Amino acid sequence: MARQEKKKDVVIVGLGWTGSIAGIELAQEGLDIVALERGHDQDTVPNFEYPQQIDELKYGVRLKMMQKPSQQTLTVRRNDGETALPYRSLGSFLPGNGVGGAGTHWNGLNWRPQPVELKLRSHVRDNWGEQIIPEGMNLRDYPISYDEMEPFFTQFEKVAGISGYAGNLNGEIREGGNPFEGWRSEDYPMPPLPTTYDASKFRDAAKAMGYHPFEAPAGIASTAYVNPYGMQMGPCNFCGFCERYGCYQYSKSSPQTSILGALKRMPNFEYRTKSEVLRVELAADGKTATGVTYWDEEAGEEVFQPADIVILSSYQLNNVHLMLLSGLGEAYNPLTGEGTLGKNYAYQMNGGVSMFFKEDNFNPFVGHGANGQVIDDFSISQNDFGAEGFIGGSYWRAGTFNGQPIRNMPLPKGTPSWGAGWKQGIGEWYGHAMSIGSHGSHMSYANNHLDLDPTYTDRHGRPLMRMTFNWQDNDLRMNQFMKRKMEPLAASMNPDIMQAGFKDIGAQYDVRPYQTTHNTGGHIMAENAREGAVNRYSQTFKAHNVFAMGAGNFVQNTQYNPTGLVGGLAYHTVHAIRTQYLSNPRPLV
């Protein structure tokens, strides 16, 4: 029989960005809160201290900060005709492990979606008609609008400490910002960071072609900053150790830098590490949750934690898995279209062009994860879907991110991969390469979904989650469109060597090479229980006292990195809990 803990007002599952936001906002209401974190405890000091943290082999290659497949993994297949096999070695995506989650090791790029991205089906219908939507594409509108979300995007940007320059300030389009972004009620909390040499070359070439470059919005401090919770950030020193690393400089936005120091001081909040939640427990009538059962790693036993409110704030894949195991909705069936849990799994579609310049030295070791100049001229709001034959868009970015010699050693095609020829290539080209990256949207499809695997189980005897996913022609056509547009710009910069890397029509998903940790969907938002797993406030339709937060709410993936939308939705959810739910617990409308 499971050990039982004292009842809490709120139990939070996972202490990353969304769990930290929920914790501090609800703790301010005086609620008694406990957060359960499967991984270990970690903080800037002592875990991210210099020089231990800037160990490329340990963190960049051996992935010390990531979830271990032995802790939790899933099985993967491309379609229903294949047998799914376990994801035994991290590759395509890298879920974080420990307090702070993926918010500790991200690169810091922070975007808002464009207004049309939140109403994409309506945008397509109104401009081209629904007949251009490919068969099998589950194109949807969010049950919320940009105007509703704008205050919550602003709130997250203030808390996280985002650097940038508004291109649309209350409807005024400003030179030097992004002219295609949604309106902002306020400018960024901090000014943009300096531009590196490669980014300036891209900026000048983009301007010459009539495009609109701007500095990338960054969860990287450009100056000293104190956020609304009293948490302090220091200006970035461009050390080049952002993605896959914790920040020793207090410069990168993270739960540790932005929230947890303040949250831990609150007497009505506690957190327990090495506590893996196994299932959400439902009341006899199935309409509410009574709490969660978790595995106490230190004690080696199951523990029941009763609570009035359950907030699921673990990584998207883990959230969906837990909801499937707990019966928090009906599992999605791609053959009938019935069910919602696991529906609309989506990813990201990326590509790029690498350029080599014999006479230019880019000093790649000077950079940060969100560095660079960007153009949004081929973003979703700017593309003619009817004429181009796809639905989607992409932003382009150029800038040095790191000069780490194991992971970042771009060489021209044909260079030997080892031996004297490889050494010669490094001698000739290290520091002489730059790239332009395309970071594109990914739509949702009937084939791409998540469910429980019928064969494989985890260490607790629970079925693993199964991912069925493959690239679809629509997104591949979008990727090839970006290639055709990008190559002339790259060529105008007169590189000595230029080589492109874009997936082509017919490409098959390969789980081995890293692509992006932007897994979305699976517990999507909707107006009703027939179409989604949660409502506009991230409240599950199955049990009104369970809220599922994070990128699992995305109905399809935007062209941008997901953190800005995840953070905005988190503040939107806790605002609804504070102002509507606590005084009268019920399904919100």
Side-chain angles (χ1 to χ4, degrees), residues 15-31:
L15 195 54
W17 270 122
T18 58
S20 299
I21 290 168
I24 196 164
E25 290 291 306
L26 296 180
Q28 290 174 351
E29 292 292 321
L31 299 177

Side-chain angles (χ1 to χ4, degrees), residues 22-195:
I24 196 164
E25 290 291 306
L26 296 180
Q28 290 174 351
E29 292 292 321
L31 299 177
D32 195 12
I33 300 170
V34 62
L36 302 174
E37 167 59 47
R38 179 191 57 203
H40 57 282
D41 201 0
Q42 55 185 357
D43 206 344
T44 305
V45 177
N47 305 90
F48 307 156
E49 283 182 313
Y50 181 89
Q52 289 86 355
Q53 184 65 195
I54 58 169
D55 184 334
E56 184 188 7
L57 183 62
K58 183 176 183 179
Y59 296 102
V61 177
R62 294 177 177 166
L63 308 175
K64 182 70 173 178
M65 298 192 74
M66 311 307 171
Q67 173 181 296
K68 302 297 184 291
S70 60
Q71 288 178 304
Q72 184 158 359
T73 190
L74 72 169
T75 63
V76 183
R77 61 180 182 175
R78 296 191 185 99
N79 56 65
D80 291 346
E82 294 183 349
T83 299
L85 297 174
Y87 184 47
R88 296 183 186 275
S89 180
L90 295 179
S92 180
F93 45 87
L94 305 173
N97 185 46
V99 170
T104 60
H105 71 75
W106 71 313
N107 60 21
L109 282 161
N110 191 85
W111 296 90
R112 299 179 178 193
Q114 292 179 331
V116 297
E117 290 188 275
L118 297 181
K119 300 294 181 183
L120 190 53
R121 189 176 186 95
S122 295
H123 177 64
V124 170
R125 180 197 64 213
D126 295 346
N127 289 278
W128 300 278
E130 293 188 343
Q131 72 277 0
I132 76 163
I133 301 173
E135 183 180 357
M137 180 187 287
N138 289 342
L139 189 66
R140 301 192 57 80
D141 289 344
Y142 283 80
I144 39 90
S145 69
Y146 182 90
D147 288 354
E148 291 176 275
M149 289 298 301
E150 199 283 333
F152 304 106
F153 292 143
T154 298
Q155 186 176 7
F156 179 68
E157 289 164 357
K158 288 180 177 180
V159 169
I162 307 301
S163 302
Y165 182 78
N168 183 344
L169 190 59
N170 288 308
E172 176 192 353
I173 305 303
R174 305 199 301 171
E175 182 71 25
N178 180 3
F180 309 117
E181 70 176 353
W183 67 277
R184 293 175 174 273
S185 58
E186 302 178 33
D187 206 342
Y188 286 92
M190 284 178 275
L193 289 107
T195 296

Side-chain angles (χ1 to χ4, degrees), residues 74-77 93 316-321 324 330-334 340-346 445-453 464-469 519-523 552:
L74 72 169
T75 63
V76 183
R77 61 180 182 175
F93 45 87
Q316 173 266 350
L317 294 171
N318 299 333
N319 255 12
V320 178
H321 187 216
L324 286 165
E330 181 183 352
Y332 171 66
N333 184 333
T340 58
L341 282 181
K343 180 180 180 179
N344 282 32
Y345 172 73
Y445 302 90
N447 174 74
N448 294 338
H449 64 284
L450 305 167
D451 64 0
L452 295 178
D453 192 277
L464 293 183
M465 189 164 70
R466 178 173 60 181
M467 174 189 292
T468 303
F469 176 79
N519 313 85
T520 69
H523 54 81

